[in-house]
Amino acid sequence: DQQVKQNSPSLSVQEGRISILNCDYTNSMFDYFLWYKKYPAEGPTFLISISSIKDKNEDGRFTVFLNKSAKHLSLHIVPSQPGDSAVYFCAAITNFGNEKLTFGTGTRLTIIP
Amino acid sequence: NAGVTQTPKFRVLKTGQSMTLLCAQDMNHEYMYWYRQDPGMGLRLIHYSVGEGTTAKGEVPDGYNVSRLKKQNFLLGLESAAPSQTSVYFCASTKGGVQNEQYFGPGTRLTVT
């Protein structure tokens, strides 16, 4: 049972345009969400996070939006750069103190120069 | 700072053999984790530790054991390897729980034949 779903396995975006990566979840107990980025042959690196009490969090070119009623979050990258080409994972936890982070299956983003 | 390192980077085992994966971090982090990543799936938590001398089960603990004898090291053991344990294994650490940024190692690619 995949509780965190990234339905687009891949996405291609022109350099300079906006990249939008989507994530849906089924567990209404999730209350904190994170995005990680992964390059080939490397471990994931943290990108941005959002608490369920917020609907938006911004960090430079990266913005995460959370729609609790739809159980949906999205990561916006503006403008997209070639170095953004990577696999992006969204992840969720049910409450603080619970160390079990549930990851989505990932979306491979390719930025076209 | 080396961050999080994993040893070995690659390993091929025969069914029934045993091995230990070593994870070391030099950031004085309390929390450490072992994940596995399989094709088409997100990272799944195997075991974790919230401090020296403590360990706990994650989502997929069967067939694995762990030890955290020193704060900086987290060992993952396979007592009797099975082909289903063919995977890429990632270790991670964080200062204060998964709601904070996790720092990942580069991964260990394990093949069990």
Side-chain angles (χ1 to χ4, degrees):
Chain A
D1 176 31
Q2 191 69 31
Q3 296 187 58
V4 177
K5 301 176 185 179
Q6 295 177 256
N7 292 319
S8 298
S10 62
L11 176 68
S12 294
V13 174
Q14 207 81 30
E15 181 180 357
R17 307 292 278 268
I18 182 171
S19 294
I20 300 176
L21 295 96
N22 294 306
C23 180
D24 296 296
Y25 60 95
T26 58
N27 188 343
S28 57
M29 299 299 291
F30 286 143
D31 63 2
Y32 199 84
F33 304 88
L34 306 95
W35 284 92
Y36 279 83
K37 178 170 83 171
K38 185 183 179 305
Y39 293 119
E42 294 184 13
T45 54
F46 172 76
L47 207 50
I48 194 169
S49 62
I50 187 167
S51 165
S52 61
I53 63 172
K54 295 185 174 182
D55 54 20
K56 176 182 173 181
N57 189 25
E58 193 171 350
D59 184 2
R61 296 186 298 114
F62 302 92
T63 303
V64 55
F65 295 92
L66 175 62
N67 182 334
K68 288 188 292 293
S69 60
K71 295 192 180 68
H72 177 83
L73 64 156
S74 60
L75 174 68
H76 292 210
I77 307 173
V78 184
S80 299
Q81 299 174 353
D84 297 329
S85 294
V87 177
Y88 290 78
F89 293 97
C90 66
I93 58 174
T94 54
N95 56 64
F96 289 101
N98 177 357
E99 298 304 310
K100 296 178 183 178
L101 194 58
T102 301
F103 282 85
T105 52
T107 296
R108 181 178 302 277
L109 175 65
T110 302
I111 304 302
I112 305 164
Chain B
N1 278 0
V4 179
T5 57
Q6 293 183 231
T7 309
K9 288 186 168 46
F10 303 94
R11 186 73 187 266
V12 178
L13 285 179
K14 293 188 189 308
T15 298
Q17 288 185 320
S18 63
M19 78 164 294
T20 301
L21 282 68
L22 170 64
C23 176
Q25 53 95 5
D26 61 2
M27 296 172 284
N28 201 34
H29 285 168
E30 290 292 338
Y31 295 69
M32 296 187 74
Y33 311 82
W34 276 107
Y35 292 92
R36 60 178 288 173
Q37 186 188 15
D38 300 298
M41 302 188 75
L43 280 76
R44 292 182 293 167
L45 182 65
I46 304 171
H47 285 281
Y48 65 96
S49 168
V50 301
E52 181 179 320
T54 74
T55 62
K57 293 181 180 180
E59 183 185 352
V60 288
D62 293 342
Y64 305 95
N65 57 74
V66 287
S67 64
R68 183 99 181 267
L69 298 179
K70 293 182 178 180
K71 186 176 184 179
Q72 64 267 33
N73 295 338
F74 195 29
L75 278 62
L76 178 71
L78 286 74
E79 290 186 346
S80 179
S84 61
Q85 294 177 303
T86 294
S87 189
V88 181
Y89 292 85
F90 290 100
C91 175
S93 72
T94 183
K95 191 173 182 181
V98 290
Q99 70 276 13
N100 299 295
E101 176 179 359
Q102 285 187 85
Y103 293 82
F104 283 83
T108 294
R109 183 174 293 275
L110 175 66
T111 302
V112 183
T113 62

